[in-house]
Amino acid sequence: MEMVPSEEKQLVPKEIESAAEEPRVLCIVQDTTNAKTVNERLTLNLPASTTVSKLYEDVAHKAGYANGTFCLAWANTGAMVRVLPCPSKQTKTLVRLLKNIADESGTADSSGLDDSSQGRFIGPLPRDGTVGCSSDYSSPSYSYSSILNKSETGYVGLVNQAMTCYLNSLLQTLFMTPEFRNALYNWEFEESEEDPVISIPYQLKRLFVLLQTSKKRAIETTDVTRSFGWDSSEAWQQHDVQELCRVMFDALEQKWKQTEQADLINQLYQGKLKDYVRCLECGYESWRIDTYLDIPLVIRPFGASQAFGSVEEALQAFIQPETLDGPNQYFCERCKKKCDARKGLRFLHFPYLLTLQLKRFDFDYTTMHRIKLNDRMTFPEELDMSPFIDVEDEKSPQTESCTDSGAENEGSCHSDQMSNDFSTDDAVDEGICLDNTSSAERVLKPKSSLTFELFSVMVHSGSAAGGHYYACIKSFSDSQWYSFNDQHVSKITQDDIRKTYGGSSGSRGYYSSAFASSTNAYMLMYRLKDPSRNAKFLEVEDFPEHIKRLVQREKESEEQEKRQREIERNTCKIKLFCMHPVKMMMTENKLEVHKDKTLREATEMAYKLMDLDGVVPLDCCRLVKYDEFHEYLERSYEGEEDMPMGLLLGGVKSSYMFDLLLEIRRPDQVFQPYKPGEVMVKVHVVDLKSESIAAPVSVRAYLNQTITEFKQLIAQATGLCAETMRVVLERCYNDLRLLYVPNKTLKAEGFFRSNKVFVESSDSTDHQAAFTDSVLWKLLDRHGNTIRLFVSLPELSPGSLANRTSCPKASADSEDSLDGAKGSRKSVEAILEESTEKLKNLSLQQQQHQQQSSSTSDSQKSSEHSDFEHIESPAQEPDAASQPSQTENSTRAASDTENQFPSEERSDSDVNNDRSTSSVDSDILSSSHSSDTLCNADSGPLPLANGLDSHSITSSRRSKAHKGKKETWDTAEEDSGTDSEYDENGKSKADAQYLYFKAEPYSQEDGSGEGQKCLLVHVDKRITLAAFKQNLEPFVGVPSTQFKVFRVYANNQEFESVRLNETLSSFSDDNKITIRLGRALKKGEYRVKVYQLLVNDPEPCKFLLETVFAKGMTVRQSKEELLPQLKDQCKMDISIDRFRLRKKTWKNPGTVFLDYHVYEEDINISSNWEVFLEVLEEPERMKSMSQLAVLTRRWCPAQMNLEAFREVVLESSSVEELKEKLSELSGIPLENLEFAKGRGTFPCDMSVLEIHQDLDWNPKVSTLNVWPLYICDDGAVIFYRDSTEELMELSEEERNELMKKESSRLLKTGHRVSYSPRKEKALKIYLDGGPTKDPGQD
């Protein structure tokens, strides 16, 4: 039963169209029968139409009591309202019962039917004695008719975008200020002058109109923040509400220039005070007039152990003068000498709306952190400001305006708070000015007129690090206090206001703040009590015409939104699948259909959604219930074409436990009915003679059928003989079970919703053998372990593409025999004859060169100079293949962009190889065709019983089995396969059975329109990598030792597979492999990337080449092998003693490798290792591991620049030795030399504006290997300077210019710069609708 408002605004029942729409009642039952169970709760979530008698039954069942032996009572706020009637005679529903209780109790509030499902909400979910712990908070009630409707308080809340509670508090306060709201309403927006989107006053006015007239519970503030020029990131920045008030008022003043509201902020919120200094000897007074928008009141004076107890105390302290004596004496212009003086503030004029800021945020110099002061500070509901007004007009001849008052004002408690941007009038204006009369007509108001009435308390709950704001506001209409807590609005009392004083009931000592409540008042707003000026809110009927038009537009917009929400509420959203007859792949979409639409209409919508118009007729399609996880057709809907989808799907739900499939038939076929309870079986027919497995045929059976009946069903579908039929069930991946018990049911055999069986019926004697020894089992075992791989070979020239033919994708389920496979391989060789001949010539050149070469590196280098110049490649240069091995991405490349080298830093062969990799069609990866859906080249898809072809709902069994399997990346240390029973040559250690391998050409077009030479390989994944490479030799054209196998992952990263005795067990269907020419790694070899270290270049890390290091090789041997490669590939002609190798950790240079170091013994090495090569200007000075090489750089503060890096080699870790070496290097006297360790990654770059003060200069340590230096390895960066050198003085313009240059420089090098120590983002409101990006700012 649903309750809707009637014309009399009473709740009346409405007919429920489906069960899914019916609201539910959450019943929380407390067992008060004895003391042991009084704290126990029973929770029942019941439909609203549940009767009271049914409620008794459910409670009895859940609590374990006999029905009739207990009573249920309706409780609200802890008091018993009524005992529910006897269950035997009660048929009233829960919703009707709640309505009756509400009627009898008088108001919805007293009955517990609150305006929201959370009851009265004051503060951030209070639990103890904090604000908002009202008595009714502990027992929330639920009102189903008010979920989307306005609060029963009559006020509308504001939605918190993320952390905009501070904004909501201020907006609600301004809205509840009659004078401000009315003035905003009287301002008329001219759309021709400004875009309404960026007009702050217009968006505020629009928001206020919605707050006053909307029927919603809460309004979004995104339009207001958009007018501020804020983006979505600002919603996650919490700011100070007082700072926001200042910035917003300033923005409004700027927007209201040249309008009637230009002086509105000043008229309402601006006051004046006098800042004076009086000589105590002659009485001379120097003064100036300041304006203020709020008065900042100190909670606890600096250095004091006790806080002020009230606002009155803080105000008195604010105007209390201080004496300037001793070293702080004041120079008197009359006395012409320094004299004792009195400095202070006097209030001259109080604003109509008085704002007090309680300065609860402070800085603790002991902990050096910001803190919040939670001390108790009381504030009155009516504040008499007459004791704080200056009633004397001291314009005596000896008193004159001080022109340097700004200097005198330094250090005063308000100098950083007050602002004189709002008025240039320096005239003394004493008392309250309530009209626009001239100065001569202004009279001093009596003290009785300085009484202010509290109407808003902005509360902060939390700490200095963050928290939550909300507002307690008194309505001037009914004098009732309300809590405006984002979207929640509720009534509160004076007791709740007093709880915002803060503090605790204990003493007011220094530590009292630490134990006080963190929820306390932060900002107070008072209004002057003056009946002649106190305004009332404009009622709707009194709105100006332009506001009435705005109300009408917003009302229409809200109605449209409500209608759209109603449509959404009645729309069923469910997954839709379809096996597309042209694409031959399962496509997925989301069907959104109104609950009242019929099945026939929904089918037409699905037909259009799947783009089948013109592909198949509409009458050849139908919607069926489908289980995508099990690939199971649950049921069809014959005869229910006119039934509404809401009833068919069981109502409108957020999610469904099933999906829909748009099934397609051929025009000459008839749809089969699918009945609930049936199971789906995919039957694969096995032919032992051809050793092939056919595509599946779908059969529907019942779980209570016997095996004999099931065989008869299969015989009808396939035409096989049931008497000689063998049926094998695949229960899970590669778990085969022969069904041989005739009377056993399918359920007993383990059948489920979706099943796969293999059937064979022949006269062979194979059925007499044990199942695990039979030919059938071996064939099925081979089928279960065969995977399909896409192999990319080296590129072909365009001329050979004419010889290439496109072949249908063959299935591993339809493999030929061994002889057939060999014959197939010969045909492939014929097709690829041209490229094979080229690659054989390449192999011959390699062998000839190896006979002439004396070193391995020379052989590697020369082997790459092939006849690839005949292959047309736009990215290739004459020396395009001069690199011994191709570049593959390292493991770190996924997260380190530095390893994704730009093409200009690679050799030309790297560029060419990238083309080879990228030309593999990405569609192969995303293809959902599996071996189960493939067929032989000479046989088409088999039609299924339900009218679908063999590409129907079936997907790959092996793909499913590998879906949740983690991929292990191939490295030189640990390959992705598992230990096998095969040797390194791929031959069986126990003469195991032949492992299947079959390859076919696969046509692939790359983005440039050129062909890519590819193979489609079906292989037993139990084969070793060595045997797999041997099988690929005829297609690559070179021996398996002369090419490398790279596995391609989903993100197109490639990693070389090197462990020859590992199997392909980690591979799965449709994995991609790239073959690249080059010597394959042998055992104990590692591929190494060499980078040049250029310490004084803008980019200190430059990729040179890729080479191979071996275990047991010395560093000098590796340098000898590098020399010819550096000369040929990088044009670097250097001697072996003028370069060194050193450790590379990301971009940081590390340990210097000495010539006698041995890899894997002295130096740890791994796959895809990286090393720095550093060219030396002088012979190597590093001779021992006890030495330490550091990179030093001199900072010259007088010139504001850094000198170039220079290396210093230390014999020990002594700081004294470092300083001596630096003094000797630079000429700086030892006693004047200071040093600091660089920060971050090499080259530890930072702004020259920060070096002088931000680094930890001259640390008090004697050795380098202790805190805070921790210099234990080569490569550390040391800055040093002359302590007697003064820092260059810069003007503001020069500093800004240098700041921009440094920011631009550091952004180019990838180093971040930030000049402000403040972490918070500054609060800004942009008058032009958005910020201007400054590259110099962070």
Side-chain angles (χ1 to χ4, degrees), residues 46-85:
L46 303 173
S49 58
T50 302
T51 62
V52 174
S53 58
K54 183 65 169 63
L55 173 64
Y56 268 93
E57 293 176 7
D58 291 347
V59 172
H61 175 72
K62 197 160 187 177
Y65 292 122
N67 198 1
T69 62
F70 62 91
C71 290
L72 295 177
W74 169 263
N76 181 35
T77 67
M80 298 299 181
V81 175
R82 82 169 350 173
V83 176
L84 300 189

Side-chain angles (χ1 to χ4, degrees), residues 480-650:
Q480 171 65 47
W481 281 92
Y482 297 92
S483 169
F484 290 85
N485 195 332
D486 291 335
Q487 59 263 43
H488 304 284
V489 184
S490 56
K491 292 182 179 181
I492 55 175
T493 64
Q494 283 291 340
D495 289 339
D496 296 315
I497 300 300
R498 284 189 283 272
K499 290 175 183 176
T500 65
Y501 291 164
S504 58
S505 57
S507 66
R508 290 163 49 191
Y510 182 81
Y511 293 103
S512 63
S513 178
F515 305 100
S517 168
S518 66
T519 302
N520 35 53
Y522 179 65
M523 221 171 140
L524 309 174
M525 277 203 180
Y526 286 85
R527 186 178 77 164
L528 181 70
K529 294 187 69 173
D530 185 354
S532 64
R533 193 176 180 188
N534 294 158
K536 295 184 178 180
F537 295 111
L538 277 178
E539 299 297 333
V540 175
E541 54 271 14
D542 299 326
F543 280 173
E545 286 301 320
H546 65 276
I547 298 293
K548 290 181 178 179
R549 292 193 297 270
L550 178 59
V551 171
Q552 184 61 30
R553 288 198 303 269
E554 295 300 330
K555 185 177 180 181
E556 293 172 358
S557 175
E558 196 168 302
E559 289 297 325
Q560 177 62 27
E561 182 182 341
K562 187 176 181 181
R563 286 193 294 269
Q564 187 61 36
R565 191 167 58 243
E566 184 68 19
I567 293 174
E568 287 288 325
R569 194 175 66 88
N570 292 292
T571 299
C572 303
K573 299 178 182 179
I574 189 169
K575 277 187 180 181
L576 175 68
F577 294 88
C578 177
M579 177 58 69
H580 200 281
V582 175
K583 300 177 183 178
M584 295 312 301
M585 61 183 294
M586 185 69 78
T587 57
E588 178 183 344
N589 216 316
K590 178 174 281 190
L591 179 64
E592 298 185 4
V593 57
H594 194 274
K595 65 175 185 178
D596 295 333
K597 293 281 187 182
T598 63
L599 177 61
R600 181 179 285 105
E601 294 172 318
T603 303
E604 185 175 353
M605 293 173 62
Y607 175 79
K608 294 177 180 178
L609 191 62
M610 290 299 183
D611 293 327
L612 297 177
D613 195 7
V615 179
V616 294
L618 176 59
D619 57 2
C620 291
C621 304
R622 70 169 179 177
L623 286 175
V624 296
K625 192 176 181 180
Y626 177 56
D627 181 356
E628 187 258 344
F629 181 79
H630 295 99
E631 299 177 349
Y632 171 59
L633 297 171
E634 294 192 15
R635 61 159 296 185
S636 55
Y637 299 104
E638 284 81 9
E640 299 179 273
E641 289 79 9
D642 296 324
M643 181 173 290
M645 292 297 291
L647 294 178
L648 211 62
L649 300 178

Side-chain angles (χ1 to χ4, degrees), residues 1186-1192 1207-1222 1233-1238 1256-1280:
S1186 62
Q1187 292 176 304
L1188 188 66
V1190 295
L1191 294 167
T1192 65
E1207 185 178 76
V1208 172
V1209 177
L1210 304 175
E1211 301 299 326
S1212 66
S1213 296
S1214 168
V1215 169
E1216 193 63 31
E1217 182 187 358
L1218 171 65
K1219 298 178 80 170
E1220 289 175 359
K1221 290 285 181 74
L1222 292 177
L1233 191 140
E1234 295 181 341
F1235 74 95
K1237 182 183 177 183
D1256 184 14
W1257 289 98
N1258 221 26
K1260 306 300 181 185
V1261 292
S1262 58
T1263 59
L1264 299 176
N1265 55 2
V1266 297
W1267 183 87
L1269 296 177
Y1270 285 128
I1271 299 176
C1272 305
D1273 196 5
D1274 303 325
V1277 174
I1278 298 292
F1279 294 99
Y1280 65 97

Side-chain angles (χ1 to χ4, degrees), residues 341-596:
R342 186 165 293 166
K343 184 180 188 305
L345 301 169
R346 297 192 189 101
F347 287 112
L348 302 178
H349 168 81
F350 288 117
Y352 177 70
L353 297 172
L354 180 65
T355 304
L356 303 179
Q357 181 207 4
L358 308 185
K359 298 181 67 175
R360 292 194 174 274
F361 298 108
D362 205 349
F363 190 81
D364 189 339
Y365 288 93
T366 304
T367 62
M368 301 302 290
H369 285 93
R370 290 179 63 198
I371 59 171
K372 182 184 177 186
L373 303 175
N374 294 311
D375 300 87
R376 178 181 175 87
M377 176 173 277
T378 64
F379 46 86
E381 187 172 1
E382 290 190 356
L383 177 62
D384 183 8
M385 294 297 289
S386 56
F388 311 106
I389 194 72
D390 182 18
V391 295
E392 300 177 3
D393 189 5
E394 304 182 43
K395 281 192 175 181
S396 61
Q398 63 185 12
T399 305
E400 56 188 56
S401 178
C402 179
T403 57
D404 62 344
S405 60
E408 294 174 352
N409 197 36
E410 290 179 14
S412 69
C413 64
H414 76 292
S415 62
D416 60 339
Q417 302 286 342
M418 299 306 156
S419 171
N420 58 1
D421 297 334
F422 301 96
S423 175
T424 57
D425 182 15
D426 287 339
V428 178
D429 181 17
E430 300 178 352
I432 299 293
C433 178
L434 299 179
D435 51 25
N436 295 325
T437 57
S438 64
S439 300
E441 296 173 337
R442 293 176 185 170
V443 293
L444 185 64
K445 299 295 178 180
K447 292 186 177 181
S448 59
S449 67
L450 297 182
T451 302
F452 287 81
E453 178 183 10
L454 179 69
F455 75 96
S456 176
V457 181
M458 277 165 270
V459 182
H460 181 268
S461 176
S463 66
H468 177 66
Y469 284 99
Y470 62 96
C472 300
I473 306 174
K474 183 174 76 171
S475 170
F476 289 112
S477 300
D478 56 5
S479 299
Q480 171 65 47
W481 281 92
Y482 297 92
S483 169
F484 290 85
N485 195 332
D486 291 335
Q487 59 263 43
H488 304 284
V489 184
S490 56
K491 292 182 179 181
I492 55 175
T493 64
Q494 283 291 340
D495 289 339
D496 296 315
I497 300 300
R498 284 189 283 272
K499 290 175 183 176
T500 65
Y501 291 164
S504 58
S505 57
S507 66
R508 290 163 49 191
Y510 182 81
Y511 293 103
S512 63
S513 178
F515 305 100
S517 168
S518 66
T519 302
N520 35 53
Y522 179 65
M523 221 171 140
L524 309 174
M525 277 203 180
Y526 286 85
R527 186 178 77 164
L528 181 70
K529 294 187 69 173
D530 185 354
S532 64
R533 193 176 180 188
N534 294 158
K536 295 184 178 180
F537 295 111
L538 277 178
E539 299 297 333
V540 175
E541 54 271 14
D542 299 326
F543 280 173
E545 286 301 320
H546 65 276
I547 298 293
K548 290 181 178 179
R549 292 193 297 270
L550 178 59
V551 171
Q552 184 61 30
R553 288 198 303 269
E554 295 300 330
K555 185 177 180 181
E556 293 172 358
S557 175
E558 196 168 302
E559 289 297 325
Q560 177 62 27
E561 182 182 341
K562 187 176 181 181
R563 286 193 294 269
Q564 187 61 36
R565 191 167 58 243
E566 184 68 19
I567 293 174
E568 287 288 325
R569 194 175 66 88
N570 292 292
T571 299
C572 303
K573 299 178 182 179
I574 189 169
K575 277 187 180 181
L576 175 68
F577 294 88
C578 177
M579 177 58 69
H580 200 281
V582 175
K583 300 177 183 178
M584 295 312 301
M585 61 183 294
M586 185 69 78
T587 57
E588 178 183 344
N589 216 316
K590 178 174 281 190
L591 179 64
E592 298 185 4
V593 57
H594 194 274
K595 65 175 185 178
D596 295 333

